[in-house]
Structure formats: structure tokens, C-alpha cells
Amino acid sequence: MALSPAARARLVYVTFYGAVGTMSPYLVLFYKGIGLDLAAIGLVVGFGSVVALLAGPGWGFVSDRLRGSPVVVVAAATSAIVGVLTMYQARDLSGVLGCSILLSAGFAGLTPILDARALEISGPERSGYGPLRAWGSISYIALSFGTGAAIDAWGLGAAFAIGTAMLALTAVIGATLVGRVASSPARSAAGPSIPATAPPRSPEPAVRAGRRIGTLSALRLVWLGPLGLFIGGAWLTFMGLAGVMAFYSLRYAELAAPASVIGLSSAIGAAVEVPIMLTFPRLAARLGAERLVVAGAAIFTIRAFVAATTADPIILVLLAGIGGAGYACFIIGGVTYVSRQAQPGLAATAQGLFSGLANGLGQVVAGYGGGLIAGAVGITGLFGASGVLGLGAAGVVALAVRRRARPLPALGYSTAPDA
């Protein structure tokens, strides 16, 4: 029996975030194992983020031009797979940097495209996105913890083998997710479409996927209105977060904690995310989505300050749970907010700009700068600096979301011929 679109979306989140949970907590251990120092590791993290910064919006743009074609998902997953396989063979800094191009580009492309497809089936108020995305966190829990145990038993090669398998499944399942085709207003009575009663987002004409999507349209998504300020605040927020997360596993290594503890830390963070994501519609209705986004940014700051003052691995594990709550509030609220501001027909482009400019660019600065700071004042000093940055970031995010949000645009791609 054919699976429903929602079931396929849940399943592809399981495989994709299973791959993320398999790779992200342990790559820095691989870098350290082949002899890279903290500054070099920071360089690798920053370089990969530069690639993600360019690749995320680029993949999203191509996906929108091709009206959500599954070919783009398969291409992005293939890039990540080749990157993982070649990374395992790298033995020096230049080899690692070369492999980062394919690996980072592939992961960066999958995130916005899968989010765009999930948002299309999440309901007219996007309220169903959180429960769909929660399945990714559930998978992250199992795979991050299980991979840690596998590494203790068989070595770091286990992470690369499991990650490759999960990415291959992502390609297969992702190929079944096709972008929704929205009829033009004149044809809205026939075939699947967004309800005609949806309010217009702005006096400007809707942007259709195809030749009318251009660089100017993508830039307008960022710089006009509250979306530009929000992405600026998100960039600062992710930069502070990345300063902690890029070196969190190495802090465990400094404290002589085994890989299974690193896996447990990642699993607990994701475990806290799940109930928040599943209940996000109710939480947003009660507390307001904007307040949840700001709360997420504030939680990141608190975690950074406490992590800077402790040498107890158990406390670091508990902090991972607190960070999971912040991540769920910030990422679900952020993706939803960006979808509210995006031009019709540019859903994947908008999400690519959010993940690329905010998350990717934040990791660029955190990777390069964080490696230098950690080398000079230690990892705990870096955590303290990240906390200071997080204070300002939370203020910018709060200012952005206080601005009046635009009416929800229709999602999907017009069947009307391109002009």
C-alpha cells in the first residue's frame, strides 16, 4: 500500500536526521584522530560552513526552478554520500578540506528542500511542520547514541558506514517527494490547489517558479521587511551556538569521556526536542510562536555560560538536554517564520537562505574564529565568548519577531505558463 505524503515526509526525516546524528557528533573526533589541532579543526568546520552557505540557497533555488523535482534531492544526497566515503580516506588537512566540499554541499542542500516539501503538507497554518520534523529528532536520538556505542566497539569507521546507508535511504525516499503544483487562480476549482480564500501577502504579483525566479527575488526574501532582520539575528544566534557545538565533543575528550557519553549527550538533546516539536502547535497557540523563538535563543546563551564554568561530564550531558529545548523552539519557530515571509513559489529558496545565511554563515565565523579562540584561551573560554554573543543575538531576534508578520502565502508551484 502506498504511503501518504505525511508518512513519506516523516520517513525521510528519519533517514536524513539519522545520518546527521551518525556523523555530526563524531567528525571532530575523526579530525583529531588524524592529527589535526584545534586551529585546523576550526578551519575545517569554517570551510565546510562556507560551502554550506553557498550550497544551501543554491540547491533551494534549483529545486524551485525545477518545481520541486526529486532529481535535486537525489543529487544532493549523492553529493553527501560521496563526501562521506572520500572523507574516511582523508589523512591530512588538504584532503579533509577537499572532501568537505561534497559532504557539506550535500547536507546543506537536503535541509531546505526537505523542509519545503514538509511545509507544503503541514496545513494552512504550517502547524503540522513540528510533528513531522519531530521524527527526525527521534531518529537522531537512536542513531547518535547507537553510533557512539558502535564506535566504542568497532572504531570511527562505524560512523561512516552507518551515515552512508542512511543517506542512501534518504535519496530513495526523497525521490518520492515531489513539489506540490498549485493551480493558478483561474483554475483553482480543478485539481489540487491552495484555497482561493488565502489572503494576498503583498500588493506585488506572486512569483512563479520557473524563468521568473531570479537572483533579485531571492535577495528580496532576505533584505526586505522583517525577514532580513530575523535572518541577521538568526545568524548571530547560530554563530554563538556553533561556537559551543563545534567543540562540545572535544570538551568531552578533554575530560576523558568515552564516545558512548558523547552519543548519550547528543541523544538527550534530541530527546528533549521531540515532545516540544510534537506539541509546538499547542505551545505556539498558548505562548506565541515569536516568544518561543526568542526563548530558544536565550536558552542557547544560558547553556554556553554554564558549559564555560563546569568540568563535570554529567553536567555537560544535562546541558545538552537544555540545549535541545532551545533548538526545538528556535528551529521550528524559525522555519515557520521564514515560510510566512517567503514569496509564493520560492519556499525552498527561502529555507535555503535561512539555513545557508544564518546557520551556514554562523558556522563559518564560529569555525574560523572559534578555533583561534579555543587555541588561545581554551574550549571553556570559547564557550564563555559564545554566551556573550548569544545575549546580543537574542535581542536582535526579539526585535525582528515583534514586527508584524505578513499574511501566509500559498505554497507550491503555479501551473500557469511562464511569462
Side-chain angles (χ1 to χ4, degrees):
M1 184 176 67
L3 295 176
S4 68
R8 281 180 277 134
R10 287 191 288 267
L11 191 56
V12 80
Y13 273 137
V14 166
T15 58
F16 175 60
Y17 281 98
V20 174
T22 297
M23 300 301 301
S24 62
Y26 305 107
L27 275 176
V28 290
L29 298 182
F30 173 77
Y31 302 150
K32 183 180 180 181
I34 63 174
L36 302 187
D37 58 21
L38 289 176
I41 291 173
L43 176 64
V44 172
V45 173
F47 180 78
S49 299
V50 170
V51 175
L53 168 64
L54 301 174
W59 283 112
F61 179 80
V62 172
S63 178
D64 284 328
R65 282 190 65 91
L66 298 179
R67 291 171 167 83
S69 170
V71 172
V72 187
V73 174
V74 174
T78 301
S79 175
I81 290 170
V82 175
V84 169
L85 293 175
T86 56
M87 179 70 77
Y88 187 58
Q89 305 301 320
R91 288 297 178 267
D92 55 29
L93 178 59
S94 61
V96 168
L97 290 175
C99 298
S100 291
I101 296 175
L102 291 172
L103 189 152
S104 299
F107 273 98
L110 288 168
T111 301
I113 297 172
L114 297 181
D115 283 342
R117 300 289 81 80
L119 284 162
E120 288 175 356
I121 61 175
S122 64
E125 297 296 327
R126 320 293 197 261
S127 60
Y129 171 74
L132 291 174
R133 173 60 178 79
W135 286 88
S137 293
I138 293 171
S139 178
Y140 187 98
I141 295 167
L143 269 295
S144 59
F145 181 70
T147 300
I151 289 173
D152 285 338
W154 300 300
L156 275 169
F160 290 84
I162 299 170
T164 299
M166 298 305 289
L167 285 168
L169 290 172
T170 299
V172 172
I173 301 167
T176 69
L177 298 175
V178 181
R180 172 189 289 174
V181 177
S183 299
S184 61
R187 300 174 57 190
S188 61
S193 65
I194 302 299
T197 55
R201 196 185 63 74
S202 71
E204 301 173 0
V207 179
R208 292 197 303 268
R211 291 193 299 270
R212 295 186 66 179
I213 299 177
T215 304
L216 180 59
S217 297
L219 291 176
R220 283 164 56 192
L221 286 168
V222 182
W223 300 118
L224 294 185
L227 182 56
L229 183 62
F230 176 77
I231 287 184
W235 168 52
L236 295 174
T237 300
F238 279 121
M239 185 161 58
L241 176 63
V244 174
M245 295 307 299
F247 297 89
Y248 212 67
S249 295
L250 293 180
R251 179 57 177 158
Y252 282 116
E254 285 185 345
L255 300 174
S260 56
V261 172
I262 299 174
L264 176 63
S265 175
S266 298
I268 286 179
V272 175
E273 295 172 15
V274 172
I276 296 176
M277 290 180 177
L278 290 173
T279 61
F280 193 86
R282 292 194 292 274
L283 291 173
R286 179 181 294 272
L287 302 174
E290 294 81 5
R291 291 176 181 169
L292 292 173
V293 173
V294 176
I299 289 171
F300 292 152
T301 300
I302 295 171
R303 175 189 184 177
F305 280 132
V306 178
T309 62
T310 185
D312 188 341
I314 300 302
I315 295 179
L316 290 175
V317 171
L318 295 176
L319 287 174
I322 296 173
Y327 184 83
C329 291
F330 192 84
I331 201 68
I332 298 301
V335 168
T336 303
Y337 181 85
V338 169
S339 76
R340 294 180 66 95
Q341 300 297 319
Q343 294 274 5
L346 287 173
T349 305
Q351 297 302 332
L353 289 167
F354 173 57
S355 62
L357 293 178
N359 193 2
L361 185 58
Q363 291 192 29
V364 170
V365 179
Y368 288 128
L372 295 176
I373 294 172
V377 298
I379 293 177
T380 56
L382 170 63
F383 290 172
S386 297
V388 172
L389 176 63
L391 285 175
V396 175
V397 170
L399 179 62
V401 299
R402 282 175 62 88
R403 295 188 178 186
R404 184 179 179 182
R406 295 174 177 178
L408 283 169
L411 290 175
Y413 304 103
S414 173
T415 57
D418 297 326

